[in-house]
Amino acid sequence: MRGLIPAVMLAKLSALLESMGDNRPLYSHFDLLAGTSTGGLLALALGAPVLKTNLQPDTRYISYIYDEQQKTLMQRLLGKPGEKILRGTLPFGVDVTTLESFYLQNGRQIFPKSQGRFFSQIFTDKYDVQPLQRLLQHMFCDVPLSEAVIPTMVMTYDAAHGRPFVMSSHDSHGFLFWEAARSTSAAPTFFKPAYLYDREENTMQTLIDGGVVANNPSLYAYRLAKELYPDAKRFHILSLSTASSDFTFTVSGAGTGVIGWIDPAKGAPIQKIYATSQMQVVDQIAPTIPDISYYRIHGTLGQTCKLDETTAVALSTMHQGAQKIYQENEEQLKNYAQLLSQRTHFDQMKLGPKEVLPMSQPPVQIEAPKEEIPALDSYHNFLRRYKIEDVDNQENTQ
């Protein structure tokens, strides 16, 4: 559920570009999209050929791409531009504003409240994976990962062979978009591993959430980008966090045995320490690499929200926290948007046809509030806007 935070950041970045007069699809400003776990779902949604999926396309603008021919002597003397030749159009991208709704409207389907009793978790996964898998299959259909509109990668881990496993459109092993989404989101103890047939190695793969090896996949993305673009002089990495706090653990003499380190009542300290230290490594190493410009958008929510928390209060907290994080990092995002808006070449993708018929964009329905509740005004407006039922408070009043 914490993917809601980077989803808000992506919508903000898209809005910044539009305010600069840049109406091109968000994905087209990048040379590579990468993500792990919930971030992997967002990367796949951005990189998918949206008209072949059930994702909501943004069809408001048609982006024509031209090549400027070499100027003639007369054009140079008169200071006139060279002749422009139409190369094609940018394929439509996903409506970035709908990525927030993916989490807000589907959270309880993926993480049903009735599941996940503590003692049952000891012997089996916390959630049935079928609702999530059906949702991913519906979203992405059977589109091959190799058909991504620009290079796209997600991190997973091959549990059977004990190795990081990068699923990318560049080297897709025949996997589909939904299979990549299923694999990168297969969080241990929450969902079963993804058992998928590798069409290149002709074997079954046992893949789990790539967060066990790269919660922040920036360095893996950098490595792949170096392979894809060997002549590039500099790599500008935008890294969006899910607003997780650095985990601290007070060690006591009675709490350092096996049970103390994995005790769920204490937040499974050893697991959280691994995750925190893993992200700290990337944040400390990436800025020191000479050909990387590293833009890290990070902040804290002010209170703890679990990975699978879907209450209306938790969703509202995450959404409001994302707005706060944006405000704290607004200048850095504006600078990055300015950099993106200067892009003129799109050699990282296959362009669409030269002529595209306009498509209608379904209007967004916004319900008028029925009443004002001063003490909870922003909270209730948030629920109305995204059509979220406050089931927990309803149960408490019955």
Side-chain angles (χ1 to χ4, degrees), residues 41 44 53-55 102 109-110 129-142 177-186:
L41 300 185
L44 291 166
T53 71
N54 285 314
L55 294 164
F102 166 76
Q109 177 185 344
I110 299 169
V129 76
Q130 287 306 311
L132 172 62
Q133 182 163 313
R134 283 194 297 268
L135 178 62
L136 296 175
Q137 288 176 306
H138 172 73
M139 285 172 56
F140 294 111
C141 303
D142 286 329
F177 263 87
W178 76 261
E179 291 177 324
R182 169 73 177 87
S183 302
T184 194
S185 59

Side-chain angles (χ1 to χ4, degrees), residues 117-128 189-192:
R117 302 302 180 197
F118 173 73
F119 287 105
S120 66
Q121 273 186 263
I122 296 176
F123 304 104
T124 187
D125 302 289
K126 189 173 183 181
Y127 297 104
D128 177 7
T189 75
F190 286 89
F191 298 114
K192 291 183 184 300

Side-chain angles (χ1 to χ4, degrees), residues 30-333:
F30 297 92
D31 294 291
L32 173 64
L33 300 169
T36 297
S37 194
T38 191
L41 300 185
L42 293 172
L44 291 166
L46 287 172
V50 68
L51 296 183
K52 294 183 178 182
T53 71
N54 285 314
L55 294 164
Q56 175 66 52
D58 185 349
T59 58
R60 292 173 300 159
Y61 308 103
I62 298 175
S63 300
Y64 295 96
I65 303 302
Y66 296 86
D67 268 346
E68 186 172 324
Q69 301 300 296
Q70 187 173 1
K71 293 181 181 181
T72 64
L73 176 61
M74 185 62 67
Q75 287 170 332
R76 288 198 296 270
L77 291 173
L78 297 176
K80 292 184 177 181
E83 183 183 359
K84 290 186 175 181
I85 304 296
L86 178 63
R87 286 183 55 209
T89 55
L90 296 178
F92 291 122
V94 67
D95 183 345
V96 181
T97 62
T98 63
L99 298 179
E100 298 174 45
S101 300
F102 166 76
Y103 293 96
L104 296 170
Q105 295 175 1
N106 297 296
R108 285 187 173 138
Q109 177 185 344
I110 299 169
F111 302 113
K113 187 178 178 182
S114 60
Q115 292 194 24
R117 302 302 180 197
F118 173 73
F119 287 105
S120 66
Q121 273 186 263
I122 296 176
F123 304 104
T124 187
D125 302 289
K126 189 173 183 181
Y127 297 104
D128 177 7
V129 76
Q130 287 306 311
L132 172 62
Q133 182 163 313
R134 283 194 297 268
L135 178 62
L136 296 175
Q137 288 176 306
H138 172 73
M139 285 172 56
F140 294 111
C141 303
D142 286 329
V143 179
L145 184 57
S146 59
E147 293 186 15
V149 287
I150 67 167
T152 302
M153 61 157 276
V154 296
M155 286 302 304
T156 70
Y157 189 79
D158 179 359
H161 299 94
R163 58 176 179 168
F165 194 86
V166 178
M167 303 181 80
S168 76
S169 55
H170 172 65
D171 182 21
S172 70
H173 288 234
F175 289 119
L176 308 179
F177 263 87
W178 76 261
E179 291 177 324
R182 169 73 177 87
S183 302
T184 194
S185 59
T189 75
F190 286 89
F191 298 114
K192 291 183 184 300
Y195 302 103
L196 301 177
Y197 182 67
D198 187 325
R199 298 161 181 84
E200 182 175 298
E201 297 186 6
N202 293 319
T203 186
M204 293 297 294
Q205 301 282 13
T206 303
L207 302 175
I208 61 175
D209 190 324
V212 301
V213 65
N215 255 318
N216 180 344
S218 293
L219 295 181
Y220 277 94
Y222 169 65
R223 186 182 72 171
L224 179 57
K226 295 274 281 187
E227 294 176 15
L228 295 174
Y229 309 104
D231 297 327
K233 299 294 188 291
R234 194 154 196 84
F235 299 86
H236 303 273
I237 297 178
L238 176 64
S239 175
L240 304 178
S241 90
T242 56
S244 55
S245 301
D246 290 344
F247 181 75
T248 58
F249 178 54
T250 302
V251 177
S252 62
T256 54
V258 173
I259 297 300
W261 284 110
I262 65 173
D263 186 358
K266 298 177 182 177
I270 192 64
Q271 186 273 332
K272 289 195 173 181
I273 287 172
Y274 279 138
T276 295
S277 59
Q278 192 192 102
M279 289 188 289
Q280 289 170 337
V281 166
V282 177
D283 287 343
Q284 291 175 19
I285 297 299
T288 69
I289 299 175
D291 59 351
I292 287 182
S293 293
Y294 186 65
Y295 300 76
R296 176 67 167 168
I297 307 302
H298 179 62
T300 58
L301 296 177
Q303 72 181 71
T304 302
C305 290
K306 297 177 182 178
L307 180 152
D308 58 344
E309 200 158 358
T310 59
T311 65
V313 172
L315 295 177
S316 178
T317 297
M318 284 188 274
H319 196 269
Q320 291 178 22
Q323 306 295 332
K324 176 175 171 287
I325 293 169
Y326 170 72
Q327 291 170 4
E328 295 169 350
N329 294 273
E330 186 173 8
E331 197 59 35
Q332 189 176 190
L333 268 173

